Amino acid sequence: MQHLRIIAPADLVDRVLTTLEDSVATTNIVRIPKAASRPPGDLVLCDVAREGLSTLLDRLQQLGVQHEGSISVDDIGVEISDAARRASRAAPGHAADAVVWQEIEQRTHEETSLSPTFLTFMSVATMIAAIGVVFDEPILIVGAMVVGPDFGPLAALSVGLVRWRRRMIAQSVLALAVGFAVAIVVTILFTLVLTALHLMSPADLLHSRPLTDFIWRPNVLSWVVGFLAGVAGLLSLSTAKSGALIGVLISVTTVPAAANAAVALAYGATEQSVGALIQLVINLAAITLGGVATLVAQRVNQRRRTAEASAGQQHGTA
């Protein structure tokens, strides 16, 4: 269950209450008149089954509550209530599969900020991966994948495409383009410094690397893995199952590919730099496509369940 807190202006509060009462997914509806001062209005509280939350938020937004009031949602850790159980059973679908579109849109939008912190994480992750690439150390590659923040903008790009949020799409593309460009330039300089200090050399990159040479040798499986990572990543974000996200990050070779390209560019290894950049592009495109496909499938499934529930309610009423 989710807890919904609404500041409703006086001219909308009756319609807000009607909207909440008409939803089978709500319970524990409370109205406190004139409780809010900024913005002014009545405080309306209720609990909502997660599987019915997105539809309810859409209806509240259609009323325009967000313009003169506010809507906020909190998780409920424990709720002991027969009414809450009845609301959860009456709501269409299952809580574990429920997608709250407003939640995922807000969460991913926050990841598109092109901030110094984002650029620092990108650069640090790519430098770590560069050492792993040169010395054929998979542990460092895994660490770099986890540190890299690039999945956030990729997830936001998928959401922006499905929800057609042009600003989110533009911010995501900008964050990815600038983030990888800065990370590659910084890693090239990092490579040259380590080379000057005799800590690595072109020979280290060009010698046999059986554990990490897949990074600059893209193939069909590169596309498959990227697509599946996009599916799993967006599924974990959209259904609030974040535990699977770490595994997704470890399976994505975007940062290692950028690192391999940077080191190869620093050493003039054209074949490796081209191959690594192709690997990077393949992964970015495949992850985005997998994310879009997942969100589209979830939206279709959610609309089907909502339509079935509405038809069932009309049949019951008749």
Side-chain angles (χ1 to χ4, degrees), residues 192-210:
L192 295 176
V193 169
L194 293 185
T195 303
L197 296 174
H198 304 290
L199 296 177
M200 67 170 61
S201 69
D204 295 321
L205 178 70
L206 299 176
H207 81 296
S208 176
R209 294 188 285 121

Side-chain angles (χ1 to χ4, degrees), residues 32-100:
I32 306 177
K34 300 180 181 179
S37 60
R38 188 190 299 175
D42 292 2
L43 175 62
V44 179
L45 308 172
C46 75
D47 298 337
V48 188
R50 180 177 175 84
E51 49 269 49
L53 179 57
S54 187
T55 300
L56 182 60
L57 290 176
D58 282 337
R59 292 173 181 168
L60 291 172
Q61 288 178 284
Q62 288 169 6
L63 294 177
V65 176
Q66 70 277 16
H67 299 308
E68 298 179 40
S70 70
I71 306 169
S72 61
V73 181
D74 296 312
D75 288 325
I76 298 177
V78 176
E79 182 165 19
I80 303 173
S81 166
D82 289 343
R85 283 194 292 271
R86 286 193 295 270
S88 183
R89 287 196 297 267
H94 303 282
D97 299 328
V99 179
V100 181

Side-chain angles (χ1 to χ4, degrees), residues 254-266:
T254 49
V255 167
N260 204 146
V263 177
L265 287 169

Side-chain angles (χ1 to χ4, degrees), residues 4 24 39 65 68 79 84 106 117 120 133 135 163 176 195 199 216 226 233 238 243 313:
L4 193 60
V24 297
V65 176
E68 298 179 40
E79 182 165 19
Q106 184 165 328
T117 300
T120 300
V133 164
F135 296 105
R163 301 278 283 180
L176 290 168
T195 303
L199 296 177
W216 66 274
S238 61
Q313 290 174 14

Side-chain angles (χ1 to χ4, degrees), residues 158-242:
S158 298
V159 175
L161 289 170
V162 172
R163 301 278 283 180
W164 196 239
R165 301 291 189 259
R166 295 182 181 180
R167 184 177 179 184
M168 184 182 290
I169 294 171
Q171 289 179 335
S172 302
V173 172
L174 180 64
L176 290 168
V178 175
F180 277 110
V182 169
I184 289 174
V185 170
V186 169
T187 303
I188 289 174
L189 297 176
F190 176 71
T191 301
L192 295 176
V193 169
L194 293 185
T195 303
L197 296 174
H198 304 290
L199 296 177
M200 67 170 61
S201 69
D204 295 321
L205 178 70
L206 299 176
H207 81 296
S208 176
R209 294 188 285 121
L211 299 180
T212 58
D213 68 351
F214 70 92
I215 293 172
W216 66 274
R217 297 180 186 274
N219 53 37
V220 175
L221 289 179
S222 301
W223 177 271
V224 173
V225 171
F227 182 86
L228 294 176
V231 171
L234 266 296
L235 196 60
S236 68
L237 287 176
S238 61
T239 58
K241 293 184 179 297
S242 58

